[in-house]
Amino acid sequence: MKFYILAFILFSDFVVYAQIVDPNEGDDPPPGAPINGQIMVLAILGILYVIYTYRKNKKIV
């Protein structure tokens, strides 16, 4: 259940910011999506994952 909640929270970001583009609206291409919106969240999750796996493997050895 926790995994499904986490997946919903992480992937709902893509659905919330989705925009429908009308191809008949003009010749200008649609603006690009920002890449740096969730970089800090991803970095924090990566650091927490490294700490978790390090502590988990340290107990076994």
Side-chain angles (χ1 to χ4, degrees), residues 9-25:
I9 291 171
L10 291 177
F11 292 121
S12 67
D13 186 45
F14 297 114
V15 177
V16 172
Y17 292 112
Q19 297 176 358
I20 298 174
V21 178
D22 186 13
N24 300 326
E25 202 169 281

PDB file of all heavy atoms in Angstrom, residues 9-25:
ATOM      1  N   ILE A   9       1.875   9.694  -5.739  1.00  0.00           N
ATOM      2  CA  ILE A   9       2.356  11.052  -5.461  1.00  0.00           C
ATOM      3  C   ILE A   9       3.432  11.469  -6.453  1.00  0.00           C
ATOM      4  O   ILE A   9       3.427  12.586  -6.965  1.00  0.00           O
ATOM      5  CB  ILE A   9       2.869  11.151  -4.013  1.00  0.00           C
ATOM      6  CG1 ILE A   9       1.703  11.050  -3.038  1.00  0.00           C
ATOM      7  CG2 ILE A   9       3.613  12.463  -3.784  1.00  0.00           C
ATOM      8  CD1 ILE A   9       2.116  10.919  -1.598  1.00  0.00           C
ATOM      9  N   LEU A  10       4.351  10.552  -6.765  1.00  0.00           N
ATOM     10  CA  LEU A  10       5.446  10.906  -7.668  1.00  0.00           C
ATOM     11  C   LEU A  10       4.974  11.069  -9.112  1.00  0.00           C
ATOM     12  O   LEU A  10       5.416  11.974  -9.817  1.00  0.00           O
ATOM     13  CB  LEU A  10       6.541   9.841  -7.595  1.00  0.00           C
ATOM     14  CG  LEU A  10       7.317   9.780  -6.285  1.00  0.00           C
ATOM     15  CD1 LEU A  10       8.328   8.640  -6.320  1.00  0.00           C
ATOM     16  CD2 LEU A  10       8.018  11.091  -6.013  1.00  0.00           C
ATOM     17  N   PHE A  11       4.085  10.189  -9.563  1.00  0.00           N
ATOM     18  CA  PHE A  11       3.666  10.239 -10.963  1.00  0.00           C
ATOM     19  C   PHE A  11       2.496  11.179 -11.206  1.00  0.00           C
ATOM     20  O   PHE A  11       2.184  11.485 -12.346  1.00  0.00           O
ATOM     21  CB  PHE A  11       3.342   8.840 -11.476  1.00  0.00           C
ATOM     22  CG  PHE A  11       4.553   7.966 -11.566  1.00  0.00           C
ATOM     23  CD1 PHE A  11       4.622   6.782 -10.857  1.00  0.00           C
ATOM     24  CD2 PHE A  11       5.635   8.328 -12.343  1.00  0.00           C
ATOM     25  CE1 PHE A  11       5.741   5.978 -10.926  1.00  0.00           C
ATOM     26  CE2 PHE A  11       6.761   7.537 -12.416  1.00  0.00           C
ATOM     27  CZ  PHE A  11       6.811   6.352 -11.709  1.00  0.00           C
ATOM     28  N   SER A  12       1.825  11.637 -10.172  1.00  0.00           N
ATOM     29  CA  SER A  12       0.727  12.578 -10.375  1.00  0.00           C
ATOM     30  C   SER A  12       1.259  13.937 -10.829  1.00  0.00           C
ATOM     31  O   SER A  12       0.518  14.721 -11.417  1.00  0.00           O
ATOM     32  CB  SER A  12      -0.092  12.735  -9.103  1.00  0.00           C
ATOM     33  OG  SER A  12       0.671  13.370  -8.099  1.00  0.00           O
ATOM     34  N   ASP A  13       2.517  14.207 -10.582  1.00  0.00           N
ATOM     35  CA  ASP A  13       3.119  15.468 -11.021  1.00  0.00           C
ATOM     36  C   ASP A  13       3.046  15.609 -12.533  1.00  0.00           C
ATOM     37  O   ASP A  13       2.776  16.678 -13.059  1.00  0.00           O
ATOM     38  CB  ASP A  13       4.574  15.529 -10.546  1.00  0.00           C
ATOM     39  CG  ASP A  13       5.205  16.866 -10.834  1.00  0.00           C
ATOM     40  OD1 ASP A  13       4.543  17.879 -10.565  1.00  0.00           O
ATOM     41  OD2 ASP A  13       6.345  16.885 -11.328  1.00  0.00           O
ATOM     42  N   PHE A  14       3.243  14.510 -13.256  1.00  0.00           N
ATOM     43  CA  PHE A  14       3.194  14.559 -14.715  1.00  0.00           C
ATOM     44  C   PHE A  14       1.770  14.826 -15.208  1.00  0.00           C
ATOM     45  O   PHE A  14       1.575  15.561 -16.168  1.00  0.00           O
ATOM     46  CB  PHE A  14       3.699  13.246 -15.312  1.00  0.00           C
ATOM     47  CG  PHE A  14       5.126  12.959 -14.988  1.00  0.00           C
ATOM     48  CD1 PHE A  14       5.461  11.890 -14.183  1.00  0.00           C
ATOM     49  CD2 PHE A  14       6.139  13.768 -15.466  1.00  0.00           C
ATOM     50  CE1 PHE A  14       6.770  11.630 -13.871  1.00  0.00           C
ATOM     51  CE2 PHE A  14       7.450  13.511 -15.149  1.00  0.00           C
ATOM     52  CZ  PHE A  14       7.771  12.444 -14.351  1.00  0.00           C
ATOM     53  N   VAL A  15       0.792  14.259 -14.562  1.00  0.00           N
ATOM     54  CA  VAL A  15      -0.595  14.424 -14.983  1.00  0.00           C
ATOM     55  C   VAL A  15      -1.090  15.820 -14.655  1.00  0.00           C
ATOM     56  O   VAL A  15      -1.826  16.428 -15.434  1.00  0.00           O
ATOM     57  CB  VAL A  15      -1.479  13.359 -14.298  1.00  0.00           C
ATOM     58  CG1 VAL A  15      -2.936  13.559 -14.659  1.00  0.00           C
ATOM     59  CG2 VAL A  15      -1.027  11.969 -14.680  1.00  0.00           C
ATOM     60  N   VAL A  16      -0.690  16.353 -13.534  1.00  0.00           N
ATOM     61  CA  VAL A  16      -1.173  17.654 -13.104  1.00  0.00           C
ATOM     62  C   VAL A  16      -0.703  18.755 -14.048  1.00  0.00           C
ATOM     63  O   VAL A  16      -1.447  19.676 -14.354  1.00  0.00           O
ATOM     64  CB  VAL A  16      -0.714  17.945 -11.658  1.00  0.00           C
ATOM     65  CG1 VAL A  16      -1.025  19.368 -11.255  1.00  0.00           C
ATOM     66  CG2 VAL A  16      -1.375  16.983 -10.700  1.00  0.00           C
ATOM     67  N   TYR A  17       0.506  18.662 -14.552  1.00  0.00           N
ATOM     68  CA  TYR A  17       1.061  19.712 -15.394  1.00  0.00           C
ATOM     69  C   TYR A  17       0.919  19.429 -16.890  1.00  0.00           C
ATOM     70  O   TYR A  17       1.485  20.137 -17.707  1.00  0.00           O
ATOM     71  CB  TYR A  17       2.532  19.936 -15.059  1.00  0.00           C
ATOM     72  CG  TYR A  17       2.717  20.528 -13.684  1.00  0.00           C
ATOM     73  CD1 TYR A  17       3.293  19.791 -12.670  1.00  0.00           C
ATOM     74  CD2 TYR A  17       2.290  21.805 -13.398  1.00  0.00           C
ATOM     75  CE1 TYR A  17       3.447  20.318 -11.394  1.00  0.00           C
ATOM     76  CE2 TYR A  17       2.434  22.351 -12.138  1.00  0.00           C
ATOM     77  CZ  TYR A  17       3.019  21.600 -11.147  1.00  0.00           C
ATOM     78  OH  TYR A  17       3.167  22.122  -9.894  1.00  0.00           O
ATOM     79  N   ALA A  18       0.187  18.386 -17.268  1.00  0.00           N
ATOM     80  CA  ALA A  18       0.012  18.081 -18.688  1.00  0.00           C
ATOM     81  C   ALA A  18      -0.828  19.166 -19.350  1.00  0.00           C
ATOM     82  O   ALA A  18      -1.785  19.673 -18.771  1.00  0.00           O
ATOM     83  CB  ALA A  18      -0.653  16.726 -18.857  1.00  0.00           C
ATOM     84  N   GLN A  19      -0.452  19.526 -20.583  1.00  0.00           N
ATOM     85  CA  GLN A  19      -1.174  20.554 -21.318  1.00  0.00           C
ATOM     86  C   GLN A  19      -1.550  20.004 -22.689  1.00  0.00           C
ATOM     87  O   GLN A  19      -0.734  19.386 -23.365  1.00  0.00           O
ATOM     88  CB  GLN A  19      -0.314  21.792 -21.503  1.00  0.00           C
ATOM     89  CG  GLN A  19       0.075  22.462 -20.221  1.00  0.00           C
ATOM     90  CD  GLN A  19       1.013  23.630 -20.465  1.00  0.00           C
ATOM     91  OE1 GLN A  19       1.385  23.908 -21.593  1.00  0.00           O
ATOM     92  NE2 GLN A  19       1.393  24.299 -19.397  1.00  0.00           N
ATOM     93  N   ILE A  20      -2.773  20.247 -23.091  1.00  0.00           N
ATOM     94  CA  ILE A  20      -3.220  19.832 -24.412  1.00  0.00           C
ATOM     95  C   ILE A  20      -2.837  20.926 -25.398  1.00  0.00           C
ATOM     96  O   ILE A  20      -3.136  22.101 -25.188  1.00  0.00           O
ATOM     97  CB  ILE A  20      -4.731  19.596 -24.426  1.00  0.00           C
ATOM     98  CG1 ILE A  20      -5.083  18.473 -23.459  1.00  0.00           C
ATOM     99  CG2 ILE A  20      -5.215  19.286 -25.821  1.00  0.00           C
ATOM    100  CD1 ILE A  20      -6.568  18.256 -23.288  1.00  0.00           C
ATOM    101  N   VAL A  21      -2.169  20.538 -26.467  1.00  0.00           N
ATOM    102  CA  VAL A  21      -1.727  21.499 -27.470  1.00  0.00           C
ATOM    103  C   VAL A  21      -2.571  21.312 -28.724  1.00  0.00           C
ATOM    104  O   VAL A  21      -2.700  20.213 -29.245  1.00  0.00           O
ATOM    105  CB  VAL A  21      -0.233  21.285 -27.809  1.00  0.00           C
ATOM    106  CG1 VAL A  21       0.206  22.241 -28.887  1.00  0.00           C
ATOM    107  CG2 VAL A  21       0.599  21.438 -26.555  1.00  0.00           C
ATOM    108  N   ASP A  22      -3.169  22.400 -29.179  1.00  0.00           N
ATOM    109  CA  ASP A  22      -3.975  22.361 -30.389  1.00  0.00           C
ATOM    110  C   ASP A  22      -3.056  22.586 -31.587  1.00  0.00           C
ATOM    111  O   ASP A  22      -2.433  23.651 -31.705  1.00  0.00           O
ATOM    112  CB  ASP A  22      -5.049  23.435 -30.322  1.00  0.00           C
ATOM    113  CG  ASP A  22      -6.023  23.369 -31.483  1.00  0.00           C
ATOM    114  OD1 ASP A  22      -6.014  22.351 -32.209  1.00  0.00           O
ATOM    115  OD2 ASP A  22      -6.793  24.321 -31.655  1.00  0.00           O
ATOM    116  N   PRO A  23      -2.947  21.600 -32.498  1.00  0.00           N
ATOM    117  CA  PRO A  23      -2.040  21.777 -33.651  1.00  0.00           C
ATOM    118  C   PRO A  23      -2.492  22.863 -34.619  1.00  0.00           C
ATOM    119  O   PRO A  23      -1.701  23.370 -35.398  1.00  0.00           O
ATOM    120  CB  PRO A  23      -2.046  20.408 -34.324  1.00  0.00           C
ATOM    121  CG  PRO A  23      -3.259  19.728 -33.844  1.00  0.00           C
ATOM    122  CD  PRO A  23      -3.603  20.311 -32.505  1.00  0.00           C
ATOM    123  N   ASN A  24      -3.749  23.255 -34.595  1.00  0.00           N
ATOM    124  CA  ASN A  24      -4.264  24.276 -35.512  1.00  0.00           C
ATOM    125  C   ASN A  24      -4.155  25.684 -34.947  1.00  0.00           C
ATOM    126  O   ASN A  24      -4.645  26.620 -35.539  1.00  0.00           O
ATOM    127  CB  ASN A  24      -5.736  23.975 -35.834  1.00  0.00           C
ATOM    128  CG  ASN A  24      -5.902  22.631 -36.482  1.00  0.00           C
ATOM    129  OD1 ASN A  24      -5.044  22.193 -37.243  1.00  0.00           O
ATOM    130  ND2 ASN A  24      -6.984  21.948 -36.151  1.00  0.00           N
ATOM    131  N   GLU A  25      -3.512  25.822 -33.803  1.00  0.00           N
ATOM    132  CA  GLU A  25      -3.481  27.106 -33.119  1.00  0.00           C
ATOM    133  C   GLU A  25      -2.461  28.083 -33.709  1.00  0.00           C
ATOM    134  O   GLU A  25      -2.545  29.273 -33.507  1.00  0.00           O
ATOM    135  CB  GLU A  25      -3.186  26.879 -31.637  1.00  0.00           C
ATOM    136  CG  GLU A  25      -3.642  28.025 -30.761  1.00  0.00           C
ATOM    137  CD  GLU A  25      -3.574  27.628 -29.308  1.00  0.00           C
ATOM    138  OE1 GLU A  25      -4.485  26.925 -28.854  1.00  0.00           O
ATOM    139  OE2 GLU A  25      -2.601  28.017 -28.648  1.00  0.00           O
TER     140      GLU A  25
END
